[in-house]
Amino acid sequence: MNQITQEMRNLAKQLLEEEKVQLVMGWEKGSFWYNSTPVFVSKVEDVDKLIWDEFCAANLATYLLDDRFSDEKIALFVKGCDSRAVNRLVQDKQVKRENLYLIGIPCPGMKSAKAAKELGQETKEELPLEDKCIYCTHHNPLVYDILLGEEVALDDIAATAEVSRFEGVEEIEAMTPDERYAYWQDHYSRCIRCYACRNVCPACNCTECCFDLGQTWLERDVTPTGNQVYGIIRAFHVAGRCIECGECERVCPMDIPIMKLNRKIAKDIEELYGPYEAGLDTETPPPLGHYKTEDPDEFM
Amino acid sequence: MKGIKKSQLSNFLQQVSAKYSLYVPAQVDGVTRFQKYSSEREPFLTANTQLSPKELFFPQTEQLYCYETHKQEVKVEELAASSEPQVLFGVRPCDMQAIGVLDDVFLGKGYEDVYYRAKRANTLIIALACSQAEATCFCDSMGVDPAFAPQADLMMYETEDGYLIEALSDQGKDFLQEFSSALEELRSEKPQAPACELKAETDGLVEKLQKMFEHSVWAELSRKCINCGTCTYLCPTCHCFDIESKTRGGKEVKFRCWDSCMYKEYTLMAGGHNPRPTKKERVRQRFLHKLQYMPERYGKWGCVGCGRCIDKCPVNLDITKVIRELREVEA
Amino acid sequence: MNPLVPIIGKISKIVDETPDTKTFHVTTSNGKPFTPLPGQLAMVSLPAVGEAMFSISSQGDDHLEFSIKKVGMLTEALHDAEVGQEIGVRGPYGNGFPLDFCKGKDMLFIGGGIGLAPLRSLINYCVANREDFGNLQVIYGARSPADLCFKEELFETWPKVRDMRVDVTVDKGDENWQGNVGFVPAFLEQLNPSPEGKVTVTCGPPIMIKFVLQSLAKMNYQPDNIITTLEMRMKCGVGKCGRCNIGSCYICLDGPVFTLTQLNQLPNEY
Ligand code: SF4
Ligand code: SF4
Ligand code: SF4
Ligand code: SF4
Ligand code: SF4
Ligand code: FES
């Protein structure tokens, strides 16, 4: 067992015993060696389920939305991306910071479960990172009450050191409108509209979602065009609030490159309104959520 | 036994596709599913498909009828539920069992679904025995023989030199007759059925679940579910649908589309009451439907052990693990 | 026959029951769209707006009646419709009331608000086949006098039927209200009809049903002789779409009518 796992369990035990929190959200080992999955511990005898390994990719902050207005005290393990999600939810007043006990864990980047499944256990040491971790710019948690382990230096993480936040976006920017249409059409034609991308997303925090209200925004018939409209509406709805955690793309059962779209929009926002990354703190107003006189207005 | 040499497979498929609408498992745009055969499309036969063959009988979206409204007038025009004769090649035993489940639902209990029947009645199914089980397969726990699909028209077995083929139904026999020139005598033997590593202990499960509706275990089991529809959309037996209108774009159409008991709108009534308001009730519904209600109503499991939901659930809410936990807790 | 495609009928008459409930008479060029049993359901649609399941509250020789409360988009559109509007109907669905079981017995109907609509199909059946049943009694309540449905039948038609009595209560009266004021369960206990030889059919808001059932138990009514109807969201009506599933039952096929004994065996999820 690794040191962090041990520390996680000790801390969880202490928090529950001292009744500082009623619930600890973390990860446990899943069905196979290559998956680790969310676990919810509310009893001291269950703390040994908690683990920390190279497959703890799931962003736990999303689950805060389940009881968003409750006053339960919750402890939550946060990697870099998870901590940004917490900031976003706090900033949007979905959860109260004082109800959370955040346990930060610096993250060296998670290993790709998909690759692991295909390549087999023998390759465990050489597995590629999850895509979301390749483009990650904040491996260290940005907000926490206590930190387990040592902060990691970005430069130490080979994949990230070489890859920029917007890597691959130029590819779609270079396409002609027709090519771009064909590109998205190809991908979205296999979307099954399961809404996993929406349901896992910490920026999709509306209590009533526009896709649930029946036919008013978008009919439920699954067509390549309808699916693209779905993708575009969702991308716009999270624009400027998307914390680039890549969960949507990771959970998509149809392997649709959703992050290409999200990162393209993030890039546009930087170009239009200046440097911005969502969820770095709870104060900076999101560029699309407020108005400045010097905002670009060439579309007016 | 008669069969097709591996080198002759595309030749055989070519011949079949000249006479019938032929569907084979294939990888297209990054996803494996049943696709119309074409000679450039190599069939994908090394494992089961990501999307189940249910979409051929019960497409994700299907038009039911057109209508026109003008002032107080309403006109309805039924859309013919017809289909050309089709052949499905390479259906796995678990999915064949699932098609049997869909048959019971769509064709039984007093009403026949005409859209489903039109396609189903026009389809000949060639099943393919599995020679190897994936890590997520557990069909042999759910009463399925991974090397035999009794409800198929024809059964195929992969061997070293080719595919042995035998007819199980009269239509299957006619089909073999029709394509006899493409077959030759193969010397190999039927391979042994693989054993699934993943297991689910199902003895006495229905009886136990009958006492567990109010059990606290559901709240725990459902905690990590994000209520996406992935498991139900990929499942070869899930058949819930919604009926909606398409009112934009000229022709007004009523269509049905897959729906999922995992969504909160599924049971939400006009007026706001929801009998399944939280994920606890929804997750419970999914598992009880498969593991108790379906056996009670149709005499078969609503799960055939194909493992698709285990493979793709974003939070690894594994049905075999759920079964294990349901067995372990006191009813 | 394709059970998912509606027949087109026409609204031939609209009766304002209460400020938010209207009764629609629906007829086709060959008379009524079909002949349902009391308690059966039908899908009613304005195709451009939507489709929903309603109980058939009564029928005549040439029409079906639907009594519909305004609760959502479709019902609002129906309330805006005028006589002559064409609408879709398909059905009949569900089991209906167990007529053979009821025949020869005294019938007690306990309704609240719009819950009288499904009961009304059976009440009118009993009235039309008067000699097949014993005494008839209706106990009905609504929030206020203005919220009482089917006023003509309640106060004119039914009280004149041989051996039939009607007792009405409101939660809150107004200056003209002379009748009882109070909730249905209390009113029921006050009237205290004997369970002897009776079949009781009750329908209304869930909270009313809950307390009516408690009162009936107190008064020694047996679950076998208590009948009620369930409501679930429905789409297909023919046991395929899965939506109305409770336990191993599909309400659109095996319901909506259940005895209390049957109901007690279903998971509590409605
Ligand atoms: S997760 Fe993928 S398949 Fe599901 S709705 Fe989102 S994009 Fe479509
Ligand atoms: S859109 Fe995707 S990357 Fe952005 S916050 Fe949501 S899940 Fe994360
Ligand atoms: S796929 Fe998993 S997370 Fe999604 S609804 Fe099914 S069980 Fe829940
Ligand atoms: S429940 Fe899962 S394993 Fe069972 S048939 Fe459906 S998808 Fe396959
Ligand atoms: S579940 Fe069984 S039948 Fe299905 S693919 Fe796996 S081994 Fe074959
Ligand atoms: S309404 Fe579709 S199954 Fe009952």
Side-chain angles (χ1 to χ4, degrees):
Chain A
M1 185 182 0
N2 61 44
Q3 169 119 24
I4 304 259
T5 302
Q6 193 56 59
E7 287 177 33
M8 282 169 107
R9 293 175 184 178
N10 294 346
L11 185 55
K13 183 157 179 271
Q14 187 191 342
L15 289 168
L16 288 168
E17 268 172 357
E18 291 171 5
E19 293 181 22
K20 287 225 173 89
V21 301
Q22 282 89 54
L23 181 71
V24 180
M25 293 187 189
W27 302 272
E28 69 176 333
K29 207 56 214 151
S31 308
F32 302 104
W33 64 275
Y34 53 79
N35 48 25
S36 301
T37 152
V39 69
F40 303 83
V41 177
S42 51
K43 285 181 268 172
V44 174
E45 59 267 32
D46 289 340
V47 298
D48 287 345
K49 289 183 179 170
L50 292 166
I51 54 116
W52 172 252
D53 68 7
E54 60 275 56
F55 299 110
C56 295
N59 184 343
L60 304 171
T62 307
Y63 291 100
L64 294 173
L65 292 169
D66 282 354
D67 319 272
R68 62 181 100 190
F69 306 119
S70 95
D71 275 320
E72 204 181 19
K73 298 264 187 284
I74 298 173
L76 173 77
F77 294 98
V78 289
K79 310 183 291 291
C81 52
D82 306 353
S83 72
R84 291 175 66 183
V86 170
N87 273 341
R88 274 303 313 142
L89 294 176
V90 169
Q91 189 170 21
D92 272 5
K93 302 212 171 13
Q94 299 298 307
V95 282
K96 292 196 199 119
R97 177 65 180 88
E98 61 269 28
N99 286 341
L100 305 177
Y101 186 82
L102 302 176
I103 308 158
I105 309 183
C107 169
M110 291 294 150
K111 293 288 162 65
S112 161
K114 258 170 225 163
K117 188 192 160 207
E118 270 164 35
L119 300 174
Q121 198 155 6
E122 314 75 61
T123 62
K124 196 164 178 188
E125 300 311 314
E126 306 118 57
L127 286 175
L129 290 180
E130 282 285 355
D131 283 350
K132 68 179 229 169
C133 303
I134 297 178
Y135 310 113
C136 173
T137 47
H138 297 273
H139 289 257
N140 296 310
L142 290 145
V143 55
Y144 52 82
D145 296 300
I146 185 172
L147 191 73
L148 303 184
E150 301 277 316
E151 296 218 355
V152 287
L154 203 51
D155 296 344
D156 293 348
I157 298 164
T160 329
E162 290 152 19
V163 179
S164 90
R165 179 175 165 213
F166 300 129
E167 179 102 356
V169 171
E170 326 78 61
E171 247 169 70
I172 38 175
E173 287 174 338
M175 291 176 185
T176 66
D178 284 346
E179 285 167 349
R180 211 175 301 156
Y181 187 84
Y183 175 84
W184 289 115
Q185 169 102 358
D186 268 2
H187 283 298
Y188 271 95
S189 61
R190 67 175 182 269
C191 168
I192 54 172
R193 294 270 281 281
C194 63
Y195 298 153
C197 50
R198 174 196 68 178
N199 290 14
V200 81
C201 173
C204 276
N205 56 17
C206 300
T207 38
E208 295 292 337
C209 170
C210 64
F211 302 114
D212 285 344
L213 302 175
Q215 354 173 334
T216 32
W217 282 64
L218 177 64
E219 287 94 348
R220 286 190 91 177
D221 55 336
V222 175
T223 61
T225 315
N227 297 348
Q228 285 186 72
V229 173
Y230 166 71
I232 290 169
I233 294 181
R234 208 187 76 83
F236 277 128
H237 282 194
V238 297
R241 300 186 306 119
C242 166
I243 50 128
E244 296 161 58
C245 67
E247 281 290 271
C248 46
E249 184 172 299
R250 186 181 68 84
V251 302
C252 174
M254 296 290 110
D255 299 324
I256 293 169
I258 305 170
M259 286 310 287
K260 270 250 170 80
L261 194 53
N262 288 338
R263 290 188 298 126
K264 163 69 178 144
I265 292 178
K267 183 164 180 257
D268 287 351
I269 289 176
E270 289 232 327
E271 283 163 8
L272 287 166
Y273 303 98
Y276 180 74
E277 287 183 88
L280 299 191
D281 57 52
T282 54
E283 288 81 39
T284 315
L288 300 179
H290 76 138
Y291 168 75
K292 283 198 294 216
T293 44
E294 66 271 26
D295 280 347
D297 60 358
E298 59 269 31
F299 51 86
M300 307 252 302
Chain B
M1 203 170 184
K2 288 269 192 255
I4 308 152
K5 282 239 173 74
K6 283 203 170 151
S7 56
Q8 292 303 307
L9 183 64
S10 46
N11 185 21
F12 170 75
L13 294 175
Q14 200 88 55
Q15 286 188 32
V16 176
S17 68
K19 288 200 166 164
Y20 299 96
S21 233
L22 172 65
Y23 288 85
V24 299
Q27 172 146 27
V28 175
D29 287 339
V31 55
T32 52
R33 69 201 309 174
F34 282 78
Q35 303 272 348
K36 199 113 183 219
Y37 175 78
S38 82
S39 47
E40 303 92 72
R41 198 164 277 167
E42 185 82 359
F44 170 84
L45 300 173
T46 46
N48 203 353
T49 49
Q50 270 164 275
L51 286 173
S52 87
K54 80 173 170 190
E55 57 175 347
L56 289 177
F57 306 110
F58 173 49
Q60 181 157 19
T61 305
E62 179 163 42
Q63 300 194 338
L64 304 177
Y65 56 88
C66 296
Y67 59 89
E68 263 173 67
T69 53
H70 180 68
K71 291 204 176 125
Q72 287 198 323
E73 258 172 61
V74 178
K75 269 201 209 87
V76 164
E77 186 199 329
E78 198 176 331
L79 293 166
S82 66
S83 136
E84 37 189 29
Q86 57 185 20
V87 173
L88 240 66
F89 174 89
V91 172
R92 301 289 171 166
C94 55
D95 286 343
M96 192 61 234
Q97 171 74 11
I99 292 171
V101 171
L102 295 181
D103 286 350
D104 286 358
V105 171
F106 283 110
L107 305 176
K109 299 276 176 202
Y111 288 94
E112 277 204 350
D113 187 276
V114 300
Y115 307 95
Y116 181 89
R117 187 193 52 207
K119 295 184 263 301
R120 182 68 178 95
N122 244 333
T123 304
L124 180 118
I125 300 181
I126 308 176
L128 174 62
C130 290
S131 38
Q132 194 190 324
E134 297 279 298
T136 45
C137 294
F138 63 105
C139 57
D140 57 4
S141 296
M142 304 312 291
V144 174
D145 175 351
F148 191 62
Q151 286 160 288
D153 295 297
L154 295 129
M155 193 68 222
M156 230 167 48
Y157 308 88
E158 186 178 355
T159 67
E160 249 152 56
D161 54 345
Y163 298 92
L164 300 171
I165 186 161
E166 72 181 330
L168 304 180
S169 72
D170 290 341
Q171 288 92 318
K173 285 192 189 109
D174 295 344
F175 179 86
L176 276 195
Q177 203 70 55
E178 190 179 349
F179 293 97
S180 57
S181 64
L183 306 176
E184 51 200 299
E185 199 58 40
L186 296 186
R187 254 176 303 146
S188 42
E189 298 281 308
K190 275 193 209 173
Q192 286 239 311
C196 301
E197 250 167 68
L198 194 60
K199 294 283 175 214
E201 188 61 61
T202 51
D203 282 350
L205 187 61
V206 175
E207 294 72 22
K208 182 162 187 199
L209 290 177
Q210 284 165 343
K211 292 177 280 184
M212 288 184 66
F213 185 79
E214 307 282 0
H215 205 285
S216 61
V217 72
W218 297 113
E220 282 164 48
L221 283 176
S222 60
R223 202 61 234 244
K224 65 180 176 180
C225 173
I226 58 168
N227 276 167
C228 66
T230 305
C231 50
T232 51
Y233 284 2
L234 297 184
C235 179
T237 71
C238 277
H239 52 267
C240 288
F241 62 84
D242 188 10
I243 299 179
E244 292 282 345
S245 302
K246 180 107 178 158
T247 51
R248 276 173 262 172
K251 198 162 85 170
E252 309 205 328
V253 179
K254 273 277 172 199
F255 62 87
R256 71 169 165 201
C257 60
W258 294 352
D259 202 350
S260 171
C261 59
M262 290 288 122
Y263 299 146
K264 77 166 183 282
E265 292 68 32
Y266 181 72
T267 44
L268 181 68
M269 311 212 317
H273 174 62
N274 195 342
R276 296 190 206 122
T278 72
K279 59 186 174 185
K280 179 189 99 180
E281 293 84 14
R282 301 197 277 271
V283 167
R284 175 175 65 191
Q285 169 66 17
R286 171 165 169 249
F287 290 114
L288 286 185
H289 188 237
K290 295 198 170 302
L291 304 172
Q292 179 196 337
Y293 307 156
M294 290 288 285
E296 284 172 346
R297 192 172 176 85
Y298 294 104
K300 27 177 109 155
W301 297 112
C303 169
V304 297
C306 75
R308 286 185 177 90
C309 57
I310 303 178
D311 188 27
K312 290 294 183 192
C313 170
V315 298
N316 186 235
L317 214 173
D318 173 342
I319 185 169
T320 62
K321 238 178 162 175
V322 168
I323 293 175
R324 220 165 301 141
E325 277 181 54
L326 290 171
R327 294 190 71 89
E328 273 164 23
V329 297
E330 209 148 315
Chain C
M1 240 293 280
N2 183 343
L4 295 184
V5 178
I7 314 171
I8 297 304
K10 203 180 246 161
I11 298 178
S12 57
K13 183 175 167 190
I14 301 175
V15 183
D16 285 316
E17 302 287 356
T18 75
D20 62 9
T21 303
K22 289 182 180 183
T23 294
F24 300 87
H25 292 225
V26 177
T27 183
T28 70
S29 46
N30 335 318
K32 57 183 155 187
F34 40 78
T35 304
L37 297 168
Q40 279 193 307
L41 310 166
M43 273 286 183
V44 174
S45 57
L46 282 170
V49 187
E51 186 175 53
M53 194 69 98
F54 297 97
S55 65
I56 301 164
S57 68
S58 197
Q59 57 185 313
D61 291 335
D62 62 348
H63 71 273
L64 299 178
E65 290 178 29
F66 298 93
S67 303
I68 295 175
K69 185 173 167 167
K70 224 197 276 190
V71 285
M73 272 208 315
L74 172 67
T75 50
E76 260 167 45
L78 282 167
H79 273 246
D80 290 340
E82 287 169 10
V83 168
Q85 172 69 47
E86 291 191 327
I87 63 172
V89 229
R90 55 188 182 90
Y93 299 126
N95 53 359
F97 291 107
L99 296 176
D100 288 337
F101 176 74
C102 296
K103 277 187 184 154
K105 303 201 176 112
D106 290 348
M107 299 295 296
L108 171 61
F109 301 94
I110 306 170
I114 184 69
L116 189 55
L119 299 184
R120 179 175 174 246
S121 64
L122 181 58
I123 298 172
N124 282 341
Y125 179 89
C126 293
V127 169
N129 299 276
R130 189 66 197 86
E131 60 290 353
D132 290 346
F133 299 88
N135 293 342
L136 306 177
Q137 180 174 7
V138 176
I139 299 174
Y140 176 55
R143 264 177 313 175
S144 74
D147 290 309
L148 293 166
C149 291
F150 316 119
K151 291 191 195 60
E152 195 181 325
E153 281 154 320
L154 280 177
F155 298 114
E156 303 294 329
T157 325
W158 293 341
K160 296 200 185 97
V161 175
R162 172 175 59 82
D163 292 332
M164 176 163 187
R165 65 176 281 182
V166 178
D167 297 284
V168 181
T169 184
V170 292
D171 299 352
K172 201 163 170 277
D174 59 18
E175 56 276 20
N176 299 321
W177 181 249
Q178 310 263 307
N180 190 74
V181 176
F183 295 128
V184 172
F187 191 43
L188 165 70
E189 287 186 38
Q190 183 190 320
L191 294 165
N192 197 20
S194 144
E196 211 56 47
K198 252 194 200 91
V199 176
T200 305
V201 194
T202 180
C203 200
I207 187 77
M208 182 207 92
I209 304 250
K210 187 173 155 206
F211 288 108
V212 162
L213 293 180
Q214 284 178 12
S215 300
L216 289 172
K218 238 194 277 173
M219 295 155 69
N220 254 326
Y221 280 73
Q222 295 308 309
D224 279 345
N225 298 325
I226 300 173
I227 294 171
T228 186
T229 65
L230 286 186
E231 239 188 285
M232 283 290 274
R233 187 160 183 215
M234 297 187 190
K235 280 288 178 176
C236 71
V238 289
K240 312 290 185 209
C241 79
R243 200 167 300 261
C244 66
N245 173 234
I246 302 179
S248 58
C249 277
Y250 285 88
I251 304 311
C252 66
L253 274 188
D254 312 316
V257 178
F258 294 94
T259 66
L260 188 53
T261 312
Q262 292 168 324
L263 213 57
N264 289 339
Q265 282 158 7
L266 285 184
N268 184 5
E269 198 173 32
Y270 32 82

